[in-house]
Amino acid sequence: MISNDQNSRGKVGQQIALAGLAIYVATAPHSVAASVIGVAIAGVGWMIRSFSTGDLGLRRSKFDVIIVLALLWTVFSALLSEEPRISIAKLQASWCVFLFYLARATVTRSSALALTVLLIVSGSVGALSSGFDLLRGRGVVVESIAPASPLRQVGVQPGDTIWQINRHRVYSTSDVDRLLAETPLNTSVSVGIISQGEQVERSFMLTQPATSGVIGNLRNHRFRASGWTRHYQTFAELMQMIALLALGLALANLRNHGPNKYFRVAIVAAGLLTAGLVFTAMRTVIVAFVIGASVIALRSLRGMMKIVFTFALFFVLAFGAVVVWQTRDPSALLLGDSSSSLRMQVAQVGLSRILIHPIFGHGMDAMQKHWTEWGFPGKDMLHLHSTPLQLAFDRGLPMLALWLWLMIAFWLSIARAETVAADLSDTHRYGILLGILGALTGFLASSLVNYNYGDAEVAMMFWFLMGTALSTD
């Protein structure tokens, strides 16, 4: 029997857990470090509650066996890797699954709504910051570069934009020169470059004192928005999932109550988040968003509203096409750019090598050491740009089968729960489940041509949303 003191400690633990998750959702669209701190605090709260009450707060689910099998297969794959040291070190990334169980154990139906709203607000702030960043401009556009410039070692050419030195943003050539001067000799210098809309980071060794040798006064206003995250791809994936969450809440209110104030607020937030996504110029994620939005619209809207929503999605695609055309290589819209060509070549090499190690794969991140040796082209990609393909390459075909089994099980389970919630007219729960179903659909569509599960921030968001969906069931 639980005493009053144990019950009080349990309540305190639950409050700490929810406070930690609030920190997580508030920082997830912006900072992986801060979001990890939030998860750690939530984990401590969960432990306090569990020790105080003697109950983890978890029920067995049909997903547990699949997840355990996948984790075990990942361990075996790492041990049998082409590069065991690299792959075993990579096992630490599996901790993201913890968020699934943490959310299942601690998130309640009422707290799910509060956390979802906080996530949407935080994501909207990130979208607004991207708009400000585009207006302000980024980096310094290179008009000319001296033959002896150390930046030639990383391929900087006239027309490129230098926007970071050692992860510090720069806005003038004097900023670049100052950061180079502050770098100790015989250490590596990382340079963030924007070239034809593509954002890359390259490094060189600074062996002697040098200035940049760059002339340029203009800032770049045609770049791929990334909010406060490290990369536009991470930002795009997060914006997509959060936008679909907001859209789910909006359409749930529209279906059950008409265009009330909650619908209006949620649809404005969804529009703002969609704009943040579009400004990343991520073709595949924009299309994935439209697929996810179409699924939840078909499941929630009726009659004329379906036609109106279809026109809205066509506008998103057209807006995205304009942004891609203005930001990236002119041939990017027709997939004729170098990035698309490189992806196809990498995928072909990856497919040809899967059957060399079909059971346990080559090992996580082993390809980074053998990229050129194994016949992969280029030097900036270092992964296969597809979650299913990467899983099969790294961990074998059985791991791919487990992944597909888990994704199908998640989708069907959330779809059933969403249908029940709609029938009960439980608007908030219905909206959350509808939005998560859309986010899962968009995530899976994007995963076909992006290794989004390999991005820690995106993987954390995925597992949090899956856990939240089950906690509301």
Side-chain angles (χ1 to χ4, degrees):
M1 187 173 179
I2 300 174
S3 68
N4 289 335
D5 286 344
Q6 289 174 317
N7 190 49
S8 297
R9 287 197 298 270
K11 289 180 178 179
V12 170
Q14 174 68 5
Q15 291 170 351
I16 293 172
L18 290 177
L21 287 177
I23 293 172
Y24 165 70
V25 298
T27 57
H30 318 296
S31 167
V32 64
S35 60
V36 168
I37 291 172
V39 173
I41 293 171
V44 170
W46 183 24
M47 289 175 59
I48 293 172
R49 192 196 72 179
S50 299
F51 283 126
S52 299
T53 63
D55 181 13
L56 285 173
L58 289 172
R59 303 190 310 270
R60 289 184 180 180
S61 75
K62 57 188 174 184
F63 309 106
D64 298 335
V65 171
I66 313 174
I67 291 172
V68 169
L69 287 174
L71 290 173
L72 288 174
W73 204 270
T74 299
V75 172
F76 290 140
S77 169
L79 294 174
L80 299 172
S81 168
E82 291 276 343
E83 295 292 338
R85 289 185 179 180
I86 295 175
S87 299
I88 290 172
K90 185 69 175 178
L91 286 174
Q92 56 86 23
S94 300
W95 80 269
C96 292
V97 179
F98 171 72
L99 253 173
F100 173 66
Y101 291 99
L102 177 63
R104 277 179 58 191
T106 59
V107 175
T108 61
R109 289 191 181 185
S110 58
S111 62
L113 178 63
L115 291 171
T116 300
V117 170
L118 181 57
L119 178 60
I120 291 169
V121 170
S122 181
S124 299
V125 171
L128 286 171
S129 76
S130 290
F132 173 74
D133 201 18
L134 285 164
L135 291 172
R136 176 182 57 179
R138 180 177 284 183
V140 55
V141 179
V142 177
E143 296 177 12
S144 65
I145 181 168
S149 170
L151 298 177
R152 285 192 175 273
Q153 298 178 55
V154 290
V156 173
Q157 299 176 0
D160 291 345
T161 299
I162 301 169
W163 77 287
Q164 280 188 340
I165 298 291
N166 290 331
R167 301 282 177 89
H168 295 284
R169 292 195 175 196
V170 296
Y171 295 98
S172 65
T173 55
S174 60
D175 288 343
V176 178
D177 290 335
R178 175 178 54 80
L179 289 169
L180 288 177
E182 292 174 356
T183 303
L185 295 181
N186 299 313
T187 57
S188 179
V189 179
S190 66
V191 184
I193 306 166
I194 303 171
S195 180
Q196 293 187 322
E198 300 300 324
Q199 180 179 305
V200 296
E201 184 175 298
R202 298 178 182 144
S203 300
F204 71 92
M205 189 65 66
L206 185 66
T207 57
Q208 59 184 10
T211 58
S212 65
V214 169
I215 296 176
N217 297 305
L218 300 177
R219 294 182 182 181
N220 188 343
H221 295 273
R222 294 186 177 184
F223 56 87
R224 305 173 72 173
S226 57
W228 290 308
T229 64
R230 290 180 301 151
H231 201 273
Y232 54 79
Q233 183 167 335
T234 299
F235 189 64
E237 295 283 357
L238 293 173
M239 288 295 102
Q240 175 200 196
M241 290 192 279
I242 301 171
L244 288 166
L245 267 180
L247 185 61
L249 284 172
L251 297 188
N253 275 278
L254 182 63
R255 171 174 169 151
N256 289 349
H257 308 292
N260 62 6
K261 63 179 180 180
Y262 300 112
F263 163 77
R264 293 193 293 270
V265 171
I267 202 67
V268 168
L272 185 59
L273 290 159
T274 302
L277 161 61
V278 168
F279 283 128
T280 66
M282 282 287 294
R283 299 165 296 190
T284 52
V285 185
I286 294 170
V287 172
F289 166 80
V290 170
I291 293 171
S294 299
V295 167
I296 61 177
L298 287 172
R299 296 179 67 90
S300 62
L301 296 179
R302 304 182 182 92
M304 192 65 184
M305 288 308 303
K306 287 186 177 180
I307 298 174
V308 173
F309 194 78
T310 299
F311 277 106
L313 291 182
F314 274 119
F315 173 78
V316 170
L317 288 174
F319 180 32
V322 171
V323 172
V324 170
W325 177 61
Q326 288 288 318
T327 304
R328 302 180 60 176
D329 187 295
S331 59
L333 278 177
L334 299 177
L335 304 182
D337 57 315
S338 58
S339 174
S340 299
S341 175
L342 184 60
R343 285 191 186 202
M344 288 298 298
Q345 295 175 48
V346 167
Q348 289 170 0
V349 176
L351 281 169
S352 69
R353 289 195 60 90
I354 285 176
L355 293 181
I356 297 176
H357 297 288
I359 306 302
F360 291 105
H362 295 68
M364 292 180 292
D365 281 359
M367 62 165 38
Q368 295 188 10
K369 186 172 182 179
H370 299 278
W371 185 261
T372 303
E373 176 190 341
W374 287 348
F376 290 104
K379 59 182 180 179
D380 293 323
M381 192 168 286
L382 301 182
H383 60 75
L384 300 184
H385 257 293
S386 167
T387 294
L389 190 57
Q390 191 74 49
L391 290 173
F393 186 93
D394 284 351
R395 311 182 210 182
L397 293 172
M399 181 63 195
L400 175 59
L402 289 169
W403 171 260
L404 294 175
W405 181 14
L406 183 61
M407 296 304 104
I408 292 170
F410 273 142
W411 201 97
L412 293 176
S413 177
I414 296 171
R416 283 192 292 268
E418 172 261 320
T419 301
V420 171
D423 292 340
L424 294 174
S425 295
D426 186 350
T427 303
H428 293 324
R429 176 170 172 256
Y430 172 42
I432 292 171
L433 289 169
L434 189 64
I436 291 176
L437 184 65
L440 175 58
T441 302
F443 171 83
L444 293 177
S446 176
S447 74
L448 297 176
V449 286
N450 291 304
Y451 184 32
N452 51 9
Y453 189 66
D455 189 322
E457 293 99 314
V458 178
M460 289 167 66
M461 182 62 65
F462 166 79
W463 285 113
F464 171 73
L465 292 180
M466 295 305 100
T468 299
L470 265 66
S471 73
T472 62
D473 192 358

